[in-house]
Amino acid sequence: MRVLLKLTLDCTPDAAWRAIRSPAVLREVVTPWLDFESLEPGGLPTIWPEGPHRVRALAFRRFSAGEEFVHVSYPGGLPEGVRMLRDGGGAITGPLAVFRRWDHRMAVSALPDGRTLYRDRLLASAGPWEPAAWYPTWLFWQWRGRRLRQLAPGWSYDPPGTADADARASEPRR
């Protein structure tokens, strides 16, 4: 099965790039239908580093829906100005384990007006369950797209050494 999104996001490409690499934004985008909690020491990172990350999916932010791996990579060899995150993980247990193959790619690039072109592609296989899984998956992806468009105007990006550093420097010392 293939599910695609192509959206214009009202934020800069740097802000969108930071957001799609953030587990906190993932959690905001999938709410209220899903949530994720880390099963790794130290919890969810601020930004996904490359490699596998074991999480528990929570239906309606409350009920365990199984365990899965978010397996992050950042493919190279892309056209200039395009940045991509790939999740090649998948569910191990629970209802989402019906997907035997999971290849989710999100890419951002600049539009001439300073906003962001966001492209999202899911290639998944659910074997004999694919006809039943396609429409709910497509519908969920539309929800994700809607949430991305709603959240994007509030995203910002402060490069290291700017506002973040200034805020830390102005904190009272203890």
Side-chain angles (χ1 to χ4, degrees), residues 49 75 85 88 101 128 144 153 157 159:
L85 179 150
R101 176 175 165 236
R144 287 180 69 256
Y157 174 71

Side-chain angles (χ1 to χ4, degrees), residues 20 26 36 48 51-53 55 68-75 84-91 101-106 121-123 141 144:
I20 68 171
L26 167 66
F36 296 97
W48 293 113
H53 308 279
V55 297
E68 60 183 80
F69 278 99
V70 176
H71 194 184
V72 175
S73 63
Y74 297 103
M84 180 184 290
L85 179 150
R86 176 178 183 247
D87 172 15
R101 176 175 165 236
W102 189 266
D103 184 2
H104 180 205
R105 297 171 189 234
M106 297 172 279
R121 183 188 81 180
L122 172 66
L123 297 176
W141 242 245
R144 287 180 69 256

